[in-house]
Amino acid sequence: MSSSPNINKLLKFLSHPLTIGAGIIAGFIIGLYSKESAAAIAPIGKMYLSFLNMCILPIIITSIISGLAKLIRTPELGKKLPKIASSFTIMLFIPSLAGVLAASVGKPGKGLSEADMDALGRMVSEQSGASEQGAGGMVDFLVGIVPWNLFDSLSKGQTMSIVFACIFIGIAAGYAKNGAIDDMIALVDTMGEVFNILFNWALYLLPIGICAVIAEQMAGLSLSVFRIMFGFITLIYLAMVLLVMAYAVAIWRSAAVTFGQTLKAMRQPLFLAFTVDSSFIAIKSCLDSLEDELGVDRKIAALIVPFTMVANRQGKIFLFSFTTMFMAQLYGIDLTFSHYAVIIIGASLAGMAAPGGGPMLVPSIAVILSAVNIPIALAYVIFTITGPVVDRVLSTFTVQGSCLLATLAGSKGPSSTGTKEK
Amino acid sequence: MIKNILQILALILFTMPNSATAATVQADLAGIIGSGQLKIAMAAADLPPYINMGQDRDLSGREREIAQDIAQELQVELEIIAAKTFSEVIELVASGQAHVGLSNLTITTDRAQKVIFTKSYRQLGTTLVLNRLQLAAKGLAAGMEHMAELKETDGKLAIIGGSSYEAAARFHFPKAELVNYPSYRPMLIDLAAGKLLIAGGNSGTINHLLKEMPNLNIKLQSFSVSTRLDHIAMAVAPGNDHLLAWLNSYITIRGEKLK
């Protein structure tokens, strides 16, 4: 399809980082200084996010089915599987260790002022009743992950169940002997391509969409939260920056590119995850960056990235160990060696597939808190008030973790791109 | 003739005992008004918002305001007799040392054997407060649905000494170690410090203090005991029917303002 030069200019302008940056700044200004305007443009942001979500689920489905079917039909998987499994397992524990370390060094739960404790106490009191939710965790996760009805899961957007089903469909397609299976995989690829095109079109409207989304979020944000939880929020951001950079170094060492190229490749997926506060919406961008700029086998990436974003949520794992440490400090609980072990293992297992964000995470972290004898109620308050601020940076870290796993498993090595630093 | 009339009048007076009693009550109420002084017994306790005890042990708060209002209505001077406990308030009234007991008193059958209560001017729920850390450590949970397990606890349970909650605590928590406190404030502070497992008392004061010291909510969890409602009333000595009737009228007129 040919397009006029004017349209090309417009599209180039809309996709320019400065234009997107201007959209973000405009969103901040509108949200902070004109709540009425933020409310007026909020529907645009909602429509935009819905459209991105509409595209991303088919992309996840087609990527996994096609990627896995192709992978099964090549001898690569047998060789890659041990490395994928070991990398996956090791990476479960890195964020939980980092969370314990960050809280031990920063001590965010110590020395809160009386005014801050009063404010927290008021919030605990206001939400009493909703606080004592039962613990969820691994059992609930395992029970919930198997879809009772795939079409029901699709209609409800139950991503975990959909990914679970797609993995099995992909494996089955890989082993199918029917001669028409290639046509089916080609059809799946074509459907994926259609939604990729739609998604790319939607990205041209990112400056407008992100302006509306951020304006609405800023308008609803209570600035007093920053004061009360300043140490908690600051430490999480600091730790996330360090971890994202550490993972960038690991990606660089695994991929056949320079460090600068690594940062450039990761720029868009991380930026997208941070601005729209969703790791899933960054999946398409991750797959493109991994294949085009980091030389990762698309089949491997198409399997690893969506799967790890569902079942190796690096950000949530960090949040769980860090928050448990924060609460132990606030309650003055002296942790023993076995407590630390429980926190690290518990956060890895409970956080790896914890659904949702904000207060929805309480049932998942309740398992760890109960094991360390920490009351659950405060977790509800912490997640409720800090969620709008910290969830986006945690999603960004999850994206970086998924890309690192995909690079470790699917990097084609120096010969593929020929851009390795000499 | 005059002798016959006097005999008939004497017969009427002897066959109308109610009229005779009324004369006594009128004398009692009239006695208060005549002496120009109303003696009201009040527990010297920190029971906000109902009774606040200042540093020099002077009493203020909602009950003091009501006492002042009653004295003003009767156009007499008010004398507050400070009692050490709520039980002592009842004793002071029963022994005639005070005209009225006004101290956020709960109507109980035991107390009603010694004094006569006015109609209730306030209803208060009972609140149990628990230390969240100790609950988590003992694997217990708060709430009416967990009362059966809580009643089996052998932990320390705090109540206000000499209050109506003492007997209730002994009955419902037979295994718990009861600890008496003079007022709610130190009780809640000790509970938050982990020296106690449970504390119980009137919902009005506990909720007031948890709002006044909101940071305690981080360590404490409270819930209302829906099966118990305390009826708060004033107490007068037996036989003071007119004073009792006057106070009931006062309660009817003031209504919601006394709550």
Side-chain angles (χ1 to χ4, degrees):
Chain A
M1 192 177 75
S2 61
S3 46
S4 72
N6 283 342
I7 290 178
N8 279 339
K9 267 188 188 173
L10 177 66
L11 295 180
K12 201 172 175 184
F13 169 75
L14 286 171
S15 57
H16 196 279
L18 281 178
T19 313
I20 298 167
I24 293 170
I25 293 167
F28 268 99
I29 293 169
I30 293 168
L32 291 174
Y33 296 104
S34 176
K35 296 197 188 308
E36 295 80 16
S37 307
I41 61 172
I44 298 172
K46 286 194 175 82
M47 283 165 64
Y48 185 71
L49 284 183
S50 296
F51 191 84
L52 288 181
N53 269 315
M54 178 195 86
C55 299
I56 209 68
L57 200 56
I59 292 172
I60 293 173
I61 293 168
T62 53
S63 297
I64 295 177
I65 293 176
S66 164
L68 204 50
K70 288 173 188 166
L71 206 62
I72 297 279
R73 300 166 124 223
T74 65
E76 279 177 86
L77 186 63
K79 286 186 277 178
K80 299 276 185 190
L81 213 52
K83 192 175 181 183
I84 294 173
S86 58
S87 305
F88 185 92
T89 309
I90 291 166
M91 280 192 63
L92 280 179
F93 294 96
I94 293 173
S96 55
L97 272 167
V100 168
L101 191 68
S104 300
V105 173
K107 293 189 173 36
K110 297 268 185 195
L112 263 74
S113 71
E114 202 170 314
D116 292 346
M117 291 291 276
D118 281 347
L120 275 178
R122 255 179 239 114
M123 290 179 211
V124 170
S125 168
E126 282 163 11
Q127 58 78 53
S128 65
S131 59
E132 309 306 316
Q133 300 175 41
M138 282 307 291
V139 175
D140 283 355
F141 167 66
L142 291 172
V143 170
I145 200 170
V146 185
W148 174 257
N149 178 335
L150 181 57
F151 297 100
D152 187 47
S153 296
L154 281 167
S155 67
K156 289 176 180 166
Q158 294 166 338
T159 317
M160 271 194 295
S161 301
I162 294 165
V163 168
F164 177 86
C166 288
I167 287 172
F168 279 89
I169 294 168
I171 292 171
Y175 284 107
K177 303 289 182 204
N178 190 317
I181 197 69
D182 288 336
D183 295 338
M184 190 206 100
I185 294 169
L187 179 65
V188 168
D189 282 341
T190 309
M191 281 179 65
E193 182 60 25
V194 168
F195 282 99
N196 273 331
I197 291 168
L198 281 176
F199 190 84
N200 283 337
W201 286 351
L203 285 185
Y204 285 122
L205 296 176
L206 186 62
I208 299 161
I210 206 64
C211 171
V213 168
I214 288 185
E216 191 197 7
Q217 288 172 347
M218 287 299 116
L221 196 67
S222 165
L223 291 177
S224 63
V225 168
F226 286 103
R227 184 180 58 78
I228 299 166
M229 299 295 287
F230 181 78
F232 183 91
I233 294 169
T234 310
L235 266 172
I236 286 183
Y237 267 77
L238 196 63
M240 288 299 102
V241 169
L242 290 175
L243 283 167
V244 165
M245 288 311 290
Y247 279 18
V249 171
I251 291 172
W252 164 51
R253 300 307 300 169
S254 304
V257 293
T258 64
F259 187 63
Q261 285 170 321
T262 304
L263 292 181
K264 188 168 171 283
M266 291 312 302
R267 191 181 60 191
Q268 200 194 28
L270 297 181
F271 180 75
L272 204 55
F274 185 81
T275 48
V276 299
D277 186 13
S278 167
S279 50
F280 288 111
I281 282 176
I283 285 179
K284 158 77 172 56
S285 180
C286 287
L287 297 180
D288 291 346
S289 291
L290 286 165
E291 185 183 18
D292 301 339
E293 300 183 56
L294 297 173
V296 175
D297 186 338
R298 179 109 186 173
K299 296 194 293 292
I300 305 271
L303 170 67
I304 300 273
V305 172
F307 180 70
T308 51
M309 281 186 191
V310 169
N312 196 335
R313 298 183 174 181
Q314 297 271 298
K316 300 281 164 57
I317 295 171
F318 176 89
L319 180 70
F320 282 8
S321 68
F322 184 82
T323 305
T324 306
M325 291 291 294
F326 172 83
M327 289 176 69
Q329 289 168 359
L330 198 140
Y331 278 114
I333 296 171
D334 293 322
L335 296 173
T336 61
F337 179 77
S338 61
H339 282 145
Y340 284 111
V342 165
I343 293 170
I344 290 165
I345 296 168
S348 301
L349 295 178
M352 64 186 279
M360 286 166 68
L361 295 171
V362 174
S364 300
I365 198 176
V367 186
I368 318 163
L369 296 176
S370 300
V372 194
N373 294 334
I374 296 174
I376 298 162
L378 191 57
Y380 187 89
V381 170
I382 293 170
F383 288 159
T384 302
I385 63 175
T386 63
V389 186
V390 302
D391 279 357
R392 61 186 63 244
V393 76
L394 299 171
S395 299
T396 310
F397 177 50
T398 298
V399 165
Q400 185 78 327
S402 295
C403 289
L404 172 58
L405 263 170
T407 312
L408 289 171
S411 177
K412 289 173 183 168
S415 60
S416 63
T417 59
T419 49
K420 184 85 178 173
E421 207 170 27
K422 298 263 166 74
Chain B
M1 179 69 183
I2 292 169
K3 193 179 175 183
N4 287 342
I5 292 169
L6 286 173
Q7 281 176 342
I8 292 165
L9 279 173
L11 189 66
I12 291 168
L13 283 172
F14 280 113
T15 52
M16 292 177 69
N18 287 341
S19 301
T21 311
T24 311
V25 168
Q26 276 177 355
D28 181 69
L29 186 60
I32 292 171
I33 296 167
S35 68
Q37 194 174 47
L38 173 67
K39 294 181 178 180
I40 289 186
M42 197 175 286
D46 189 26
L47 195 77
Y50 312 111
I51 303 170
N52 296 318
M53 192 165 63
Q55 286 183 337
D56 49 356
R57 297 185 66 78
D58 60 318
L59 302 177
S60 58
R62 209 171 288 173
E63 301 298 68
R64 171 73 194 230
E65 287 165 12
I66 294 171
Q68 197 65 54
D69 189 41
I70 290 171
Q72 203 170 328
E73 282 293 314
L74 292 172
Q75 295 183 327
V76 294
E77 288 290 318
L78 172 67
E79 183 189 342
I80 296 287
I81 303 173
K84 286 176 187 158
T85 63
F86 294 90
S87 302
E88 197 181 310
V89 171
I90 299 295
E91 297 302 330
L92 286 168
V93 173
S95 63
Q97 294 177 66
H99 297 116
V100 180
L102 174 55
S103 193
N104 199 56
L105 293 170
T106 300
I107 301 174
T108 67
T109 50
D110 279 353
R111 289 172 175 174
Q113 289 177 29
K114 298 173 186 170
V115 294
I116 297 181
F117 283 104
T118 62
K119 65 180 181 179
S120 173
Y121 62 92
R122 181 184 298 148
Q123 275 88 44
L124 287 176
T126 300
T127 292
L128 284 182
V129 198
L130 299 102
N131 181 295
R132 293 183 193 270
L133 280 167
Q134 290 206 28
L135 276 186
K138 288 176 184 285
L140 291 168
M144 280 307 288
E145 64 275 28
H146 303 290
M147 273 301 274
E149 301 97 80
L150 288 172
K151 283 178 176 178
E152 291 299 310
T153 183
D154 57 358
K156 288 186 177 176
L157 191 159
I159 28 89
I160 299 298
S163 72
S164 63
Y165 297 102
E166 206 171 331
R170 280 187 207 290
F171 179 77
H172 290 295
F173 297 87
K175 295 178 185 171
E177 182 187 338
L178 292 195
V179 184
N180 285 338
Y181 273 81
S183 63
Y184 283 99
R185 199 180 302 266
M187 184 167 90
L188 292 180
I189 290 170
D190 280 359
L191 183 65
K195 295 176 186 171
L196 308 162
L197 172 66
I198 313 178
N202 85 66
S203 54
T205 300
I206 288 176
N207 292 339
H208 179 90
L209 286 171
L210 288 177
K211 274 187 186 157
E212 194 183 302
M213 302 180 282
N215 62 64
L216 294 185
N217 289 297
I218 295 174
K219 291 188 175 173
L220 303 183
Q221 184 176 3
S222 62
F223 72 95
S224 165
V225 180
S226 54
T227 51
R228 185 187 152 116
L229 190 67
D230 287 334
H231 299 275
I232 307 300
M234 300 174 206
V236 298
N240 290 344
D241 287 356
H242 198 177
L243 176 60
L244 180 70
W246 187 91
L247 286 171
N248 279 334
S249 301
Y250 171 83
I251 290 167
T252 303
I253 293 162
R254 288 289 186 268
E256 292 289 317
K257 290 178 184 170
L258 302 181
K259 289 186 174 169

